[in-house]
Amino acid sequence: MEHFHEKMMKRAIVLAKRGIGRTAPNPTVGCVIVKDGAVVGEGWHKKAGTPHAEVHALRQAGEMARGADVYVTLEPCAHFGKTPPCADALIAAKVCRVHIGMVDPNPRVCGEGISMLRSAGIEVVVSVLEDNCRSLNEPFIKHMTTGLPFVILKSAMTLDGKTATAGKDSKWITSDKSRQYVHKLRAKLDAIMVGVGTVMADDPLLTSRIPAGRDPLRVIVDSTLRIPLSSQVLHVDSPAKTVIATISDDEAQAARITASGADVLRCRQKNGRVDLHDLFVKLGGLGVQSLLLEGGGALAGEALRCGLIDKCMFFYAPKLVGGEGLGPFSGKGVELMADAITLKNISITKIGSDILVQGYPENACLQV
């Protein structure tokens, strides 16, 4: 039988998911307040700069919060930002006990909220469904602890592993439902990245195409600034910006790109191309917590070799290309199967006629 505390934390997690894609640079958080076995208050962080989950739940609970149990997915904040500390609000409400999913990795909190609550005589229980709560805020945790964005590789392919035919035709591999799923994913993430080859071949918009949805920052890796000035990503009508990452010192071309409305971001070079680690450091410095890596094979292969991919999302369509074709990764790979990267925490989901396989690279990088 499911433990009551876990049941309440699961409810807090469901609430927290409502804020995904809207709270950055803050984490997404859910909160449930329980009195005498009944839920009296619920809340979630709805948007950065607005009241946090605990405040919404306390407002709903009112006087019923006194002596109540609180279930919150992340340690209550202990510092003044755009809103007052949530730990103070819980103390003022005279709650009895606080069940916390995980400690906040933010150095400004990181145990301080727990200390404040305990100093006020409030019992604190930590690490309730911690793994589930951590999965809510993978980008926030990665960015807060390393300064780098959480990188999700997405690839659509046939059952025989082809992302395009030998003639480079790739439209469309997966179903409408899978493509809609990806657009919703784009709306939840901070940035989307492709190589200039993908731009030249497909001329994509790289928008979410979700009604009232948020478009991600568009990042194009273009080492030599060869992006056509007519490319849609340079002229798309969207509040989100387009950034061209390059090592080129061609000031005239950079000025033309800038005049088209995009920003040029110069990076260190590695083997004559943009150093992806340096690029991710720079993007992290700009506040990018989550990044969707969509194409193409050269970019994905380099990210894999450098150990920069945190999560993989492979959409498999029930199709076979047969013979030659392109795969999700290009460039040098391992020579021995024993050296191949393995994925952990695998999940498999059916989306329309397609199959989505998700997992996390276990090895740091390809030793090639």
Side-chain angles (χ1 to χ4, degrees):
M1 183 175 178
E2 185 178 48
H3 197 284
F4 181 78
H5 297 316
E6 293 183 352
K7 181 179 179 180
M8 291 299 98
M9 187 61 75
K10 284 183 178 179
R11 175 58 185 167
I13 290 171
V14 169
L15 292 169
K17 288 180 178 178
R18 296 180 182 178
I20 292 177
R22 298 180 176 91
T23 63
N26 296 337
T28 179
V29 182
C31 180
V32 174
I33 300 177
V34 177
K35 184 73 170 287
D36 299 328
V39 174
V40 296
E42 293 186 335
W44 67 94
H45 188 28
K46 299 179 180 181
K47 186 179 180 181
T50 65
H52 294 179
E54 297 93 323
V55 174
H56 286 296
L58 287 169
R59 287 174 179 173
Q60 188 178 101
E63 287 299 317
M64 294 294 289
R66 181 185 291 267
D69 277 64
V70 177
Y71 298 83
V72 60
T73 56
L74 184 72
E75 176 186 5
C77 61
H79 63 284
F80 279 88
K82 292 184 178 179
T83 60
C86 290
D88 280 346
L90 292 170
I91 293 169
K94 299 187 183 322
V95 302
C96 174
R97 192 177 297 106
V98 179
H99 307 259
I100 296 172
M102 62 169 287
V103 175
D104 192 335
N106 186 340
R108 299 178 69 184
V109 185
C110 201
E112 286 300 314
I114 294 171
S115 296
M116 286 176 63
L117 293 171
R118 286 176 173 162
S119 295
I122 297 173
E123 182 181 345
V124 179
V125 181
V126 185
S127 301
V128 181
L129 296 182
E130 180 175 2
D131 289 344
N132 304 65
C133 292
R134 291 183 70 86
S135 68
L136 276 173
N137 284 300
E138 291 172 329
F140 175 77
I141 295 169
K142 171 79 180 292
H143 187 260
M144 190 58 64
T145 55
T146 68
L148 299 173
F150 185 86
V151 179
I152 302 172
L153 170 70
K154 169 262 168 182
S155 185
M157 64 188 90
T158 60
L159 283 179
D160 54 345
K162 303 296 195 302
T163 57
T165 66
K168 298 185 178 181
D169 178 45
S170 61
K171 292 188 177 180
W172 294 100
I173 296 175
T174 53
S175 65
D176 289 340
K177 284 190 176 181
S178 289
R179 295 199 293 276
Q180 185 70 7
Y181 185 100
V182 172
H183 285 306
K184 290 180 179 178
L185 178 63
R186 288 179 178 180
K188 294 178 181 179
L189 302 180
D190 295 334
I192 180 172
M193 177 184 289
V194 299
V196 68
T198 296
V199 174
M200 296 175 71
D202 300 334
D203 195 20
L205 284 167
L206 301 182
T207 55
S208 67
R209 299 204 268 287
I210 300 295
R214 181 188 65 146
D215 287 336
L217 173 75
R218 295 171 292 276
V219 182
I220 314 301
V221 181
D222 182 4
S223 297
T224 59
L225 290 184
R226 59 194 178 103
I227 185 171
L229 296 179
S230 60
S231 299
Q232 292 191 97
V233 291
L234 298 180
H235 306 283
V236 61
D237 182 16
S238 169
K241 287 196 167 192
T242 297
V243 172
I244 311 298
T246 189
I247 60 172
S248 172
D249 58 2
D250 187 338
E251 296 294 346
Q253 178 67 348
R256 286 189 285 268
I257 291 172
T258 301
S260 297
D263 293 338
V264 175
L265 181 63
R266 287 189 168 83
C267 303
R268 288 201 310 251
Q269 72 88 23
K270 180 180 178 182
N271 300 324
R273 295 182 177 180
V274 168
D275 182 332
L276 291 185
H277 184 270
D278 182 57
L279 170 56
F280 288 165
V281 168
K282 286 181 168 61
L283 291 175
L286 294 173
V288 174
Q289 292 185 356
S290 55
L291 183 145
L292 185 64
L293 182 58
E294 283 213 11
L299 190 60
E302 179 65 10
L304 186 70
R305 282 188 292 274
C306 294
L308 295 172
I309 297 173
D310 297 294
K311 182 178 181 179
C312 296
M313 299 180 68
F314 296 126
F315 291 81
Y316 288 95
K319 300 176 182 179
L320 299 172
V321 169
E324 297 181 355
L326 303 180
F329 304 103
S330 62
K332 188 176 182 182
V334 299
E335 296 183 2
L336 300 176
M337 191 58 67
D339 296 327
I341 284 181
T342 55
L343 299 183
K344 62 182 180 180
N345 299 335
I346 296 293
S347 67
I348 300 173
T349 309
K350 198 166 187 299
I351 301 178
S353 59
D354 305 324
I355 297 170
L356 169 60
V357 178
Q358 302 182 77
Y360 299 78
E362 190 170 31
N363 314 52
C365 59
L366 286 175
Q367 300 301 313
V368 297

